[in-house]
């Protein structure tokens, strides 16, 4: 009978492509307080684990061999999700935490915190329309991080990411725990969409296409750099317009298809799991882990900006240059910066006021 | 919403028909999920979209599938995704499918047995199998809808009536019982869960679930008779454990999706000619005097290539085997009766 670990590896192979240098080393531990787990690996917490994104994300993280402990926190339903996942025959020990009184327990000893918590869009809404509810949720959860795992890597999914990342930064600054290299807004779904839509136009396998996506995570702030596509490709103006618009509105496409029942959950879980896995491989010390992410940045004059970054033991280790932009992309960049500036200001003001 | 015409006009040189990538060496395989918008169906759709063996993923349900398909279709993996909603699109969902996974139906609430679901789910399964017989009679069918002990016999009867029945291609998915047995055994026996193998035979409900811990590897010598009894009971009641923890909000979804994906992957590998693919499954069988029984089976190009025997049983397991047969027999007959009277 084929071993279960081989089967899991097949299904989850996308999650952890073999790292040629680091596969066999055991540099998995990090110093500091550790929650108890079975196998060597990292401790991951998902805040919002019972939600539409949180549940499939929790399933994917439970399948990730780099995870030794998985804490599932939410304000409802975590006991059920935890019981469900705990039956899976993978190494991660799963623990559930229910209600704000258990937030600190959920976060103690954690290496990586993933935050999908909050409400999703309905048709006609922008991500910014979620601001009022989600800003408060993110603040509360980030305050927990400052108390219990101030050195953790934080992956922020809660929308509007363009504002919630600055909110998180302000919360961390207030507590004196802010490390800009460890706070990352998740934009991986924009990259996945770009790769998929471009592959469709080019007639290629999406796994062989890579498009950097910079700027932010909403509408025109999402800037795919088609001129930097791998494999190098040239696009007609119609293709550029179509692809750029489709990538920018990919989220809206799903909100409308779901007709009021939610926004992207499964693809978001996939993207978040991919990005979390990259962070874990960086924490492990793997070389060459490059991802797009929305982070505190000096790549432009804006305080936060999404671009390709190299991840390592400290979180963001290096900012890759934006590279050459063509005229269309330069114009797009200016448009993106205008809206991003406002969104960042809105997030910062929420905490400062 | 994007205009389909505009989108296809932009595909360079590629028609809107199924395309294969010149870079891909694995055969084209279409997987259909019936019930894809449900609690199991959605995470199962995600996992199948991530499986590189799948070239086409067809998502069918009576509602919600356009949204699920749009969502999953954005993931940058091999499979092309299409959503189908409503009875009149079921045929298109199924055409050309190599594997059909059926999680459709309603889940248990606290206090219910899987058999309590029979009345609703039997009708659903009958309808879906009628369509399978018509549109993809050669597909491997992975039945998840409970009560599996009855819905698999229902499916067999529907296929027999249509003249399409192939007993090598109809599987009741019991993989979650195996997953649970492995996890619980690893926990109590203090062995790494990734290394554990435990066969689980019989059926997929309560005492019809018979884990064979005497055959478990690696051996956990510290486990005594009381431990084995407790592990057996916990494996048998694993589903109920989750139903109660979810307190009315449903039954196992994520672990079921995971197990369903593991089994579907094994079917695909078998179809692709990978040797020595062995899984436990509830199939037509002569291993006991019952017409259907779960045991290890070897999977291949025709589906079931070989039904493997039970192997040596401990005395406790022999008792368990005799105890489960009457309930399993009754469930099978209930399914056959339903199919013949409806």
């Amino acid at each position: 009978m084929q071993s279960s670990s081989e089967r899991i590896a097949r299904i989850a192979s996308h999650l952890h492509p073999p790292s040629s240098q680091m596969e066999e080393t055991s540099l998995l531990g990090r110093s500091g307080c550790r929650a108890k787990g079975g196998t060597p690996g990292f401790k991951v917490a998902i805040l919002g684990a019972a939600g539409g994104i949180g549940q499939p994300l929790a399933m994917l993280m439970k399948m990730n061999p780099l995870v030794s402990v998985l804490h599932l926190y939410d304000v409802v339903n975590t006991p059920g999700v935890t019981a469900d996942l705990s039956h899976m025959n993978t190494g991660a020990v799963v623990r559930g935490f229910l209600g704000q009184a258990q937030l600190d327990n959920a976060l103690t000893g954690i290496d990586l915190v993933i935050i999908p918590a909050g409400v999703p869009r309905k048709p006609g809404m922008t991500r910014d329309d979620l601001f009022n509810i989600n800003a408060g949720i993110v603040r509360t959860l980030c305050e927990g991080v400052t108390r219990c795992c101030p050195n953790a890597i934080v992956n922020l999914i809660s929308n509007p990411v363009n504002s919630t990342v600055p909110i998180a930064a302000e919360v961390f600054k207030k507590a004196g725990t802010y490390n800009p290299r460890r706070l990352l807004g998740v934009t991986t779904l924009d990259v996945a969409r770009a790769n998929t839509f471009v592959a469709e136009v080019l007639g290629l396998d999406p796994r062989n296409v890579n498009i950097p996506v910079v700027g932010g995570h909403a509408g025109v702030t999402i800037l795919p750099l088609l001129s930097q596509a791998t494999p190098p490709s040239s696009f007609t103006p119609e293709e550029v317009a179509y692809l750029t618009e489709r990538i920018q509105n990919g989220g809206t496409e799903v909100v409308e298809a779901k007709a009021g029942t939610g926004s992207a959950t499964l693809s978001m879980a996939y993207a978040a799991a991919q990005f979390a896995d990259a962070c874990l491989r960086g924490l492990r010390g793997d070389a060459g882990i490059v991802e797009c992410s929305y982070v505190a940045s000096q790549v432009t004059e804006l305080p936060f900006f999404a671009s390709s970054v190299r991840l390592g033991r400290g979180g963001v280790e290096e900012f890759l240059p934006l590279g050459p932009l063509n005229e269309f992309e330069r114009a797009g960049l200016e448009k993106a910066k205008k809206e991003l500036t406002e969104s960042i200001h809105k997030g910062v003001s929420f905490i400062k006021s | 919403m994007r205009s389909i015409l505009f989108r296809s006009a932009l595909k360079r040189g590629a028609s809107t028909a199924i395309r294969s990538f010149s870079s891909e060496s694995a055969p084209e395989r279409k997987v259909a999920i019936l019930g894809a918008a449900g609690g199991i169906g959605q995470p199962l759709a995600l996992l199948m979209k991530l499986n590189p063996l799948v070239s086409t993923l067809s998502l069918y349900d009576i509602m919600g599938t356009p949204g699920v398909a749009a969502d999953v279709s954005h993931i940058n993996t091999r499979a092309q995704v299409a959503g189908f909603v409503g009875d009149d699109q079921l045929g298109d969902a199924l055409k050309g499918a190599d594997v059909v996974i059926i999680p459709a139906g309603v889940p248990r609430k606290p206090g219910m047995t899987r058999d309590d679901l029979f009345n609703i789910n039997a009708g659903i399964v009958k309808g879906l199998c009628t369509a399978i017989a018509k549109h993809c009679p050669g597909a491997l069918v992975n039945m998840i809808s409970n009560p599996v002990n009855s819905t698999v016999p229902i499916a067999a009867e529907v296929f027999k009536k249509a003249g399409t029945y192939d007993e090598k291609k109809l599987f009741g998915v019991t993989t979650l019982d195996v997953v649970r047995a492995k996890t619980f055994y690893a926990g109590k026996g203090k062995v790494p869960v990734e290394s554990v193998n435990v066969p689980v035979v019989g059926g997929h409900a309560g005492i019809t679930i018979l884990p064979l811990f005497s055959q478990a590897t690696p051996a956990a010598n510290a486990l005594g008779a009381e431990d084995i009894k407790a592990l057996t009971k916990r494996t048998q009641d694993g589903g109920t454990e989750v139903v109660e923890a979810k307190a009315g909000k449903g039954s196992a979804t994520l672990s079921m999706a995971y197990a369903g994906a593991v089994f579907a992957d094994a079917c695909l590998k078998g179809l692709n000619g990978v040797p020595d693919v062995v899984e436990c499954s509830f199939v037509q069988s002569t291993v006991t005097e019952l017409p259907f029984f779960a045991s290890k089976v070897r999977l291949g190009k025709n589906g079931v290539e070989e039904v493997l025997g039970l192997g040596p049983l401990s005395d406790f397991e022999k008792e368990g085997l005799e105890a489960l047969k009457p309930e399993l027999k009754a469930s099978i007959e209930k399914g056959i009766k339903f199919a013949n009277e409806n």
Side-chain angles (χ1 to χ4, degrees):
Chain A
M1 199 187 285
Q2 217 213 8
S3 82
S4 58
S5 59
E6 286 173 58
R7 280 203 308 281
I8 293 162
R10 164 183 286 287
I11 291 173
S13 61
H14 62 284
L15 290 176
H16 49 282
S19 158
S20 52
Q21 295 160 280
M22 303 304 286
E23 200 63 49
E24 302 311 316
T25 63
S26 57
L27 294 166
L28 295 173
R30 284 177 71 214
S31 61
C33 173
R34 298 184 68 75
K36 291 192 95 176
T39 45
F42 295 103
K43 305 202 181 98
V44 176
I46 300 176
L47 310 184
I53 298 169
Q55 289 200 45
L57 174 58
M59 177 184 72
L60 292 175
M61 296 314 293
K62 173 73 169 106
M63 291 166 66
N64 189 325
L66 290 178
V67 179
S68 61
V69 173
L70 184 60
H71 282 186
L72 306 181
Y73 168 85
D74 211 323
V75 293
V76 292
N77 298 334
T78 20
V81 179
T82 303
D84 190 351
L85 287 182
S86 73
H87 288 180
M88 287 166 62
N89 59 323
T90 60
V93 171
V94 191
R95 300 199 184 98
F97 301 85
L98 180 66
Q100 206 167 312
Q102 295 195 1
L103 176 60
D104 285 23
N105 290 339
L107 288 171
T108 302
I110 296 298
D111 301 307
L112 174 71
V113 181
I114 316 176
I115 311 183
V119 297
R121 284 193 279 165
K122 289 199 181 296
M125 291 172 80
T126 64
R127 287 183 179 89
D128 193 64
D129 290 332
L130 305 174
F131 183 91
N132 292 327
I133 308 176
N134 289 355
I137 293 173
V138 167
R139 174 175 53 197
T140 302
L141 297 176
C142 288
E143 285 166 351
V145 171
T146 65
R147 288 190 298 270
C148 306
C149 53
N151 295 322
I153 306 266
V154 176
N155 288 173
L156 198 35
I157 297 169
S158 310
N159 273 315
V161 166
N162 292 351
S163 303
T164 56
V165 167
I167 288 173
E170 290 303 309
V171 170
F172 296 156
K173 282 180 198 169
K174 258 201 173 131
T177 65
Y178 182 44
N179 181 340
R181 296 162 64 201
R182 294 221 165 108
L183 172 59
L184 302 102
V186 182
T187 61
T188 314
L189 184 49
D190 302 319
V191 178
R193 285 173 175 147
N195 295 347
T196 299
F197 303 157
V198 169
E200 194 177 88
V201 165
L202 298 180
L204 296 177
D205 188 320
R207 295 170 288 179
N208 298 330
V209 173
N210 200 25
I211 311 290
V213 183
V214 303
H217 184 61
V220 300
T221 71
I222 298 170
L223 190 58
L225 301 182
L226 298 174
S227 66
Q228 295 181 22
T230 312
S233 313
S234 65
F235 300 91
T236 68
E238 291 79 27
E239 287 167 341
V240 170
Y242 162 78
L243 285 168
T244 302
E245 206 245 333
R246 196 173 173 213
I247 293 163
Q248 290 177 338
N249 293 323
T252 305
E253 189 177 310
V254 180
V255 169
E256 284 170 5
K258 288 199 174 188
T261 60
S263 60
T265 48
L266 304 173
S267 53
M268 185 65 241
Y270 158 78
Q274 287 280 78
F275 186 71
D277 180 68
C279 289
L280 293 177
R281 283 181 287 123
L283 283 181
R284 182 170 69 170
D286 290 19
I289 311 292
V290 175
E291 294 289 330
C292 288
S293 180
Y294 181 70
V295 293
S297 171
Q298 294 174 338
V299 167
T300 71
E301 70 275 20
L302 299 181
F304 295 90
F305 196 80
S307 66
S308 292
V309 295
R310 188 171 57 77
L311 299 171
R313 291 212 180 87
V316 176
E317 300 286 6
E318 187 187 348
F319 294 84
L320 276 55
L322 261 191
L325 271 59
N326 64 25
E327 201 183 313
F328 178 83
E329 291 158 355
R330 283 198 297 276
L333 179 58
E334 291 315 305
K335 242 178 136 186
K337 286 201 273 185
K338 273 205 178 67
E339 186 177 311
L340 256 183
T341 303
E342 285 172 31
S343 301
I344 293 168
H345 178 73
K346 190 170 179 179
V348 172
S349 304
F350 176 79
I351 296 296
K352 286 198 157 153
S353 60
Chain B
M1 189 66 185
R2 196 104 282 114
S3 149
I4 304 296
L5 284 174
F6 187 56
R7 198 197 303 192
S8 63
L10 282 171
K11 289 184 198 180
R12 299 177 184 177
S15 69
T16 49
I18 307 290
R19 73 194 190 285
S20 61
F21 301 117
S22 53
S23 56
E24 183 56 68
S25 52
E28 305 257 294
R29 292 289 173 206
K30 176 170 171 175
V31 173
I33 301 177
L34 309 185
I40 298 170
Q42 289 200 43
L44 176 59
L46 168 60
L47 291 175
M48 295 317 294
K49 176 68 169 109
L50 297 183
N51 190 325
L53 296 182
V54 180
S55 57
T56 304
L57 183 60
S58 177
L59 305 180
Y60 169 83
D61 211 322
I62 54 171
M63 57 189 246
T65 19
V68 178
D71 188 353
V72 168
S73 74
H74 287 182
I75 295 173
N76 52 323
T77 57
R78 178 189 180 199
Q80 258 186 293
V81 181
F84 300 87
V85 59
D87 210 43
D88 41 306
Q89 295 190 1
L90 179 51
D92 287 337
L94 288 171
K95 276 201 200 1
D98 295 292
V99 178
V100 181
I101 317 175
I102 312 182
V106 297
R108 286 192 277 164
K109 288 200 183 297
M112 291 172 78
T113 64
R114 286 182 179 87
D115 191 64
D116 290 331
L117 306 175
F118 183 92
N119 291 329
I120 307 175
N121 289 355
I124 293 173
V125 164
K126 183 163 185 283
L128 295 175
C129 289
T130 305
I132 289 171
K134 190 167 170 201
H135 297 285
C136 54
L140 303 192
V141 176
N142 292 172
M143 183 70 69
I144 295 174
S145 309
N146 273 315
V148 166
N149 292 351
S150 302
T151 56
V152 166
I154 289 173
E157 291 303 304
V158 169
F159 296 153
K160 284 178 195 168
K161 276 207 183 78
T164 64
Y165 183 49
D166 181 342
E167 75 278 6
K168 300 184 296 303
K169 293 189 176 175
L170 175 58
F171 304 86
V173 181
T174 59
T175 313
L176 184 49
D177 303 319
V178 177
V179 163
R180 285 173 176 147
K182 291 178 180 181
T183 300
F184 302 156
Y185 176 84
K188 221 184 239 289
K190 309 238 186 295
V191 291
V193 70
E194 303 87 352
S195 66
V196 173
N197 266 310
V198 185
V200 182
V201 303
H204 184 61
I207 62 159
T208 71
I209 298 169
L210 186 60
L212 303 181
F213 290 113
S214 69
Q215 296 178 24
T217 56
N221 299 315
L223 294 180
E226 284 311 305
D227 295 319
I228 299 298
K229 235 172 137 183
L231 284 174
T232 301
K233 184 150 201 330
R234 196 175 173 209
T235 304
Q236 292 174 337
D237 295 341
T240 305
E241 190 179 310
V242 180
V243 169
E244 283 169 6
K246 289 199 174 187
K249 299 253 173 75
S251 59
T253 48
L254 303 173
S255 54
M256 183 65 241
Y258 163 78
V262 165
F263 187 72
D265 179 67
C267 287
L268 290 168
K269 294 212 308 270
L271 286 178
N272 289 349
V274 174
D276 303 319
V277 178
V278 176
E279 292 292 331
C280 289
S281 182
F282 183 69
V283 294
Q284 182 173 303
S285 174
T286 53
V287 164
T288 70
E289 67 275 20
L290 299 178
F292 294 89
F293 200 81
S295 68
K296 284 197 242 182
V297 301
R298 189 165 53 79
L299 298 169
K301 295 197 164 111
N302 302 305
V304 178
E305 299 292 348
E306 190 186 352
V307 177
L308 304 179
L310 295 182
L313 267 57
S314 68
D315 289 339
F316 176 70
E317 289 158 358
K318 285 180 187 151
E319 285 168 27
L321 179 59
E322 291 316 306
L324 73 85
K325 283 182 186 176
E327 182 181 319
L328 189 47
K329 184 166 191 276
S331 300
I332 292 168
E333 284 168 1
K334 187 173 179 177
I336 295 173
K337 186 165 186 275
F338 174 87
N340 290 326
E341 290 176 359
N342 288 274

